């Protein structure tokens, strides 16, 4: 995979420094940055050995890339992803892939028309720990309650409270707790149980954006709650309670971490996939393998998961009165 990266922020720095070097078959050809971010992009490229920095998508494509990685603020994802697909490139889009489910469906149709792969860069569904939880589910009997929690105080929240509008808290940029941390909660729950029958989001809304909230998902026979917060610190991890036992995860749903099975008969089992510190490389290894092996079934299943999460996010967000420009 010959990759062109769009963006020069913290996510790109983490990927170039700690993710890309661990992915066999991945070559980062260049970085596309806005003119005001070129100096930062050049410094990052020099530090990580990326040969090209440009503010021109034409120049980036001329360097011979076959895949575009879009890692810019949320509201700009769709335009770059669409441009990449229309140019015949595979596209990896940072989470959330789109602001609305209609945008997600439009991108999926375009990818299918062009015969290209479209991936959302969400770590949860590529971790072996999630597969282990799924394998244990039959052993805990009838599922009754599910919790997924991801709360961390955002350093940008102080600026927001002071009157600034950083992208993470800007409805014009498709920000908010549900779109950021809540996405991982949803991929954890939907990755195990599929789409719910009903979703209700009760949020703390400040200046039109959710800084924290609780999403309640109703399934046949059980209820799942997703708690996400960028305005306060809190527990991180998952809990699945069943009539014969429970399953717990040790950390936030973007990492999952060690998972533990505790049964009513006293059985206790713990498995750690060791991937919590390797999350970016894990997802990109999956993307490279899918492209190299032309594994369209796996890619389609991952994309279905992203669309399902976007569908729940969109409906819950709108019902809570949180609107983005992409909603029309």
């Amino acid at each position: 995979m010959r990759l062109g990266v769009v963006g020069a922020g913290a996510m790109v720095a983490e990927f170039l420094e700690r993710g890309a070097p661990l992915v066999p078959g991945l070559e980062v050809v260049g970085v596309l940055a806005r003119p005001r971010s070129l100096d930062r992009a050049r410094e990052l490229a020099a530090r990580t050995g990326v040969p090209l920095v440009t503010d021109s998508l034409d120049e980036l494509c001329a360097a011979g890339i076959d895949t575009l990685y879009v890692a810019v603020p949320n509201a700009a994802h769709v335009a770059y992803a669409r441009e990449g697909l229309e140019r015949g490139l595979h596209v990896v889009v940072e989470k959330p892939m789109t602001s609305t489910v209609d945008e997600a469906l439009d991108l999926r149709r375009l990818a299918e028309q062009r015969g290209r792969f479209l991936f959302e860069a969400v770590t949860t569904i590529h971790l072996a720990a999630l597969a282990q939880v799924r394998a244990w589910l039959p052993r805990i009997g009838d599922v009754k309650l599910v919790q997924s929690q991801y709360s961390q105080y955002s350093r940008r929240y102080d600026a927001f409270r002071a009157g600034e509008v950083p992208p993470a808290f800007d409805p014009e940029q498709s920000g908010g707790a549900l779109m950021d941390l809540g996405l991982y909660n949803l991929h954890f729950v939907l990755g195990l149980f599929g789409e719910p029958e009903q979703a209700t989001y009760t949020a703390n809304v400040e200046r039109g954006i959710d800084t924290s909230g609780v999403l309640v998902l109703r399934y046949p026979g059980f209820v799942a709650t997703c708690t996400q917060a960028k305005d306060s610190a809190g527990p991180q991890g998952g809990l699945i309670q069943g009539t014969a036992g429970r399953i717990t995860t040790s950390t936030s749903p973007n990492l999952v971490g060690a998972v533990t099975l505790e049964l009513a008969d006293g059985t206790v089992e713990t498995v750690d996939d060791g991937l919590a510190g390797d999350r970016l490389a894990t997802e990109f290894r999956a993307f490279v393998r899918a492209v190299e092996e032309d594994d369209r079934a796996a890619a389609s299943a991952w994309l279905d998961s992203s669309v399902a999460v976007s569908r729940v996010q969109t409906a819950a967000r709108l019902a809570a009165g949180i609107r983005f420009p992409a909603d029309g």
Side-chain angles (χ1 to χ4, degrees), residues 36 45 79 102 120 126-127 130 139 144 151 160 202 204 218 233 240 256 298 328:
R36 67 182 184 183
D102 286 343
E120 181 183 35
H126 300 290
L127 297 171
L130 186 68
R139 299 176 62 183
K144 291 299 182 181
S151 298
F160 180 71
T202 303
N204 293 313
R218 168 64 68 178
I240 304 170
V256 183

Side-chain angles (χ1 to χ4, degrees), residues 11 14 18-19 94-95 121-124 126-127 150 184 254-255 275-285:
M11 188 74 248
E14 182 180 358
R18 302 194 307 184
E94 253 313 320
K95 62 84 188 171
V122 58
T123 55
T124 309
H126 300 290
L127 297 171
Y150 195 176
Y184 291 114
N254 63 325
L255 304 175
L275 299 177
D278 194 22
R279 61 191 181 95
L280 299 182
T282 299
E283 64 182 357
F284 268 86
R285 282 194 289 265

Side-chain angles (χ1 to χ4, degrees), residues 8-267:
M11 188 74 248
V12 172
E14 182 180 358
F15 169 70
L16 293 179
E17 292 170 346
R18 302 194 307 184
L22 302 177
V23 184
L26 176 64
E27 177 185 358
V28 180
V29 175
V31 173
L32 172 68
R34 292 174 295 181
R36 67 182 184 183
S37 302
L38 282 173
D39 287 343
R40 182 169 69 244
R42 291 189 183 104
E43 188 278 330
L44 178 60
R47 192 169 69 245
T48 56
V50 176
L52 173 67
V53 174
T54 179
D55 60 359
S56 166
L57 184 56
D58 288 336
E59 184 178 2
L60 183 63
C61 291
I65 65 171
D66 55 49
T67 305
L68 197 67
Y69 172 35
V70 180
V72 292
N74 296 351
H77 286 180
V78 170
Y80 279 111
R82 183 178 292 118
E83 180 73 14
L85 292 170
E86 289 177 344
R87 287 172 179 255
L89 301 172
H90 306 301
V91 175
V92 179
V93 189
E94 253 313 320
K95 62 84 188 171
M97 185 172 69
T98 60
S99 301
T100 71
V101 66
D102 286 343
E103 290 180 332
L105 292 169
D106 286 343
L107 285 185
R108 182 169 69 180
R109 281 191 290 267
L110 180 57
E112 291 170 350
Q113 291 168 1
R114 297 303 173 101
R116 301 292 89 186
F117 285 93
L118 173 64
F119 306 109
E120 181 183 35
V122 58
T123 55
T124 309
I125 59 177
H126 300 290
L127 297 171
L130 186 68
Q132 181 62 70
V133 172
R134 188 180 299 112
W136 277 340
L137 285 176
R139 299 176 62 183
I140 65 170
D142 297 331
V143 173
K144 291 299 182 181
L145 291 172
V146 178
Q147 301 173 44
S148 186
Q149 301 187 88
Y150 195 176
S151 298
Q152 60 182 21
Y153 191 89
S154 170
R155 65 183 185 276
R156 299 177 182 87
Y157 185 57
D158 288 335
F160 180 71
R161 296 181 72 186
E164 298 178 28
V165 189
F169 293 98
D170 187 357
E172 295 295 313
Q173 295 292 328
S174 305
L178 183 63
M179 296 297 287
D180 183 9
L181 306 182
L183 176 137
Y184 291 114
N185 285 328
L186 280 167
H187 269 292
F188 179 80
V189 176
L190 270 63
L192 295 171
F193 303 106
E195 288 191 60
E197 294 179 327
Q198 183 182 8
T200 305
Y201 189 40
T202 303
N204 293 313
V205 178
E206 300 180 39
R207 290 164 29 209
I209 201 68
D210 57 315
T211 60
S212 58
V214 177
L215 182 64
V216 179
L217 308 176
R218 168 64 68 178
Y219 288 87
F222 70 93
V223 174
T225 58
C226 297
T227 301
Q228 44 277 321
K230 295 173 70 66
D231 57 8
S232 54
Q236 299 185 6
L239 170 62
I240 304 170
Q241 298 172 211
T243 54
R246 65 181 181 179
I247 301 168
T248 56
T249 72
S250 62
T251 189
S252 53
N254 63 325
L255 304 175
V256 183
V259 294
T260 299
L261 171 71
E262 300 174 81
L263 300 181
D265 64 7
T267 298

